[in-house]
Amino acid sequence: MANMANLNASTNTDAKSNTKTNRIKLASFNLFNYIEPPLAYYDFENIYSAEQWQKKQGWLADFLAQHQPDIIGLQEVFSAPALAEQMHAAGYEHVAVVGEPTVIDDYICRDPVVALASKFPLTEVAAIEAEPEYIHALGLNPNFAYSRKPLRVTVLLPQIGLCDIYVVHFKSKRPHLDELPQPKFVQPKFTQAANSASAAPLVNFGELLGRNSLGLWASSIQRGSEAALLFNTMLQRRIETNHPMVLMGDFNEELTSSVLSPLTNREQRFEKEGLGQLANFPLTDAYKLFLQGLQDLFCVEAADKNLDDVAVEEELMLAKARASRAPTHYYGATGNVLDYILLSADFDPSFDNSIAEVCDYHTEDRHLVNPSFERDSQSSDHAPVICTIRSRS
């Protein structure tokens, strides 16, 4: 197993947060190459200057001070000790990380890891491994492994109790070409260069397109397999402990994609087989739960004010527009939601045994849509997502 550590050993003390509150704020943030100089990310030229590193840390510090999440899942971490030191200074007594990045030539790093920082005590920290029997059953390469190893942390939440929180960074959409045959080179035809004895062979353009298509599909297979294997692991843990579950991170895919469907689909045939209780297991997008709560609140207020259905619908549409979801990442001018917080049925008031509900949701995207160089030049290419859960006890 890769190196795994809770970077703060004191897990038995009370959190400095107000443990009497019935609200807990969760956040997920892709830090975008959090690496302390003189280390470099991916290439020897990618080393932050002292000023850039100070701005990088300053942006995160400002975000934490402004939004004050109680628990935050973090991705693209290269320098875990520096992150732990910064999080401790910001009031997060408990920091967990799993694994270590790969270091090449002493200072060039790749394969960043994920982490979690919490104001509440941690009772267990674990790395998630892909289980060989399931790898074989899915017909995957025997050497299959998560592109970034997921982290599970069990946190003692006030008024809720033990909760399993998973932090992930699924495989990106970049074409995965490592195991494909090398492209063939062909002599150019019908050009002046082709008549020259020194004409250099060219890569066949059609083959490049084919390789790219295969590479994209390979990445989708990896990402979808990671989601399915992780969800199976989460279910096994749920059966063992019955802990509420939270899954947060950079999914590198829209949640509506079939690639990520194992995380949210309810298998209706279980109900026909007399196993309806399993319908409580799939995860639900925190944003969806927030909108459901918004609608329920409006229904109650409408009844109190004796509003007619048309007025209620108009007010609800306005409220949803104000709470519309912003993209968390942009590719050119196209925005996508790639960062999520998913919750088990314990946080869904529509289930009889729910213990909490989502009362707020926010995407901090100012640095993406209205950036200031002085303020945001070393921020991130992702927008953090934040949700607040409220205990129903």
Side-chain angles (χ1 to χ4, degrees), residues 233-248:
T233 299
M234 293 175 69
L235 289 184
Q236 301 309 311
R237 171 75 176 179
R238 170 79 172 202
I239 292 169
E240 293 173 5
T241 67
N242 203 35
H243 290 166
M245 300 185 296
V246 176
L247 172 61
M248 62 170 69

Side-chain angles (χ1 to χ4, degrees), residues 25-41:
K25 189 177 289 188
L26 308 173
S28 179
F29 189 10
N30 182 321
L31 294 174
F32 188 54
N33 299 324
Y34 186 95
I35 186 167
E36 184 176 24
L39 295 176
Y41 55 94

Side-chain angles (χ1 to χ4, degrees), residues 252-271:
N252 267 314
E253 185 84 65
E254 295 271 1
L255 192 58
T256 53
S257 166
S258 60
V259 172
L260 297 182
S261 61
L263 297 174
T264 56
N265 276 354
R266 285 184 170 83
E267 183 50 79
Q268 296 299 324
R269 66 188 178 93
F270 283 149
E271 296 182 2

Side-chain angles (χ1 to χ4, degrees), residues 115-131:
L116 178 139
S118 173
K119 295 179 179 179
F120 304 118
L122 314 182
T123 64
E124 188 176 355
V125 177
I128 304 298
E129 306 277 0
E131 299 176 78

Side-chain angles (χ1 to χ4, degrees), residues 11-23:
T11 58
N12 296 318
T13 59
D14 290 336
K16 287 186 178 179
S17 300
N18 181 6
T19 57
K20 295 181 180 179
T21 182
N22 69 339
R23 298 189 180 212

Side-chain angles (χ1 to χ4, degrees), residues 279-348:
N280 291 0
F281 278 18
L283 302 167
T284 304
D285 184 0
Y287 178 73
K288 180 179 179 180
L289 292 175
F290 170 58
L291 290 185
Q292 289 177 358
L294 199 62
Q295 183 164 351
D296 293 343
L297 177 62
F298 266 87
C299 290
V300 172
E301 291 183 350
D304 292 340
K305 297 177 181 178
N306 294 319
L307 297 178
D308 58 38
D309 292 342
V310 174
V312 171
E313 189 64 27
E314 290 178 350
E315 289 292 325
L316 183 58
M317 289 178 63
L318 288 173
K320 286 186 175 181
R322 289 193 295 269
S324 61
R325 183 180 228 163
T328 66
H329 183 267
Y330 287 85
Y331 186 77
T334 303
N336 296 284
V337 180
L338 304 182
D339 302 80
Y340 294 92
I341 299 174
L342 307 185
L343 304 171
S344 60
D346 309 270
F347 303 95
D348 184 347

